[in-house]
Amino acid sequence: MYAYLPFDIVLVICSFLQVELCDDDDFLVLACDGIWDCMSNQQLVDFIREHINTEESLCAVCERVLDRCLAPSTMGGEGCDNMTMILVQFKKPITQNKDDSGAEQSAGDTEPSEVHVAEENGS
């Protein structure tokens, strides 16, 4: 069946992992292999943590990641692949407060505060 496909078609097998978010989770990264070819999971987390509070937007953080992964030349090798990254920063849940009557008030669920998608085309 696959023998008749043109050579430029790429078949992708994705892996999925389902995890429960906790109060310590600050952000979520979805990225293509162009990013993961250049940085490990921990390297990317450390890089984002280093820049997320000093940059003025998530867009700027994504741009820094793409710049970090971009190859210095287009002669091939690491950093020449297409790169796409989605960075979602979570709002921290507000702790339970008591109103004047002593009843607890809930702050609601954790929601994303900002989402940014960045893309860089390689050669």
Side-chain angles (χ1 to χ4, degrees):
M1 173 172 137
Y2 296 117
Y4 302 107
L5 292 175
F7 288 106
D8 61 345
I9 291 181
V10 177
L11 299 176
V12 178
I13 299 173
C14 297
S15 61
F16 295 92
L17 179 64
Q18 182 175 343
V19 296
E20 294 240 357
L21 295 178
C22 64
D23 291 344
D24 292 338
D25 294 324
D26 297 322
F27 55 86
L28 169 73
V29 176
L30 300 170
C32 70
D33 65 333
I35 303 292
W36 303 121
D37 288 344
C38 299
M39 301 177 88
S40 70
N41 292 348
Q42 192 60 54
Q43 287 172 325
L44 185 58
V45 166
D46 293 343
F47 190 89
I48 291 172
R49 282 197 174 132
E50 180 182 338
H51 294 94
I52 201 163
N53 294 320
T54 59
E55 293 294 336
E56 56 187 62
S57 69
L58 292 183
C59 180
V61 176
C62 289
E63 288 173 5
R64 281 193 172 260
V65 170
L66 296 179
D67 288 343
R68 158 66 177 74
C69 294
L70 194 60
S73 75
T74 58
M75 297 304 292
E78 186 176 283
C80 287
D81 198 355
N82 293 333
M83 293 182 282
T84 302
M85 177 178 160
I86 301 171
L87 178 58
V88 179
Q89 185 177 26
F90 298 115
K91 288 183 180 178
K92 291 295 184 183
I94 300 171
T95 58
Q96 299 248 342
N97 297 323
K98 293 186 178 182
D99 63 15
D100 293 336
S101 68
E104 290 187 355
Q105 298 175 328
S106 176
D109 295 331
T110 301
E111 301 174 6
S113 60
E114 186 178 352
V115 176
H116 184 76
V117 178
E119 188 171 355
E120 179 73 35
N121 288 325
S123 57

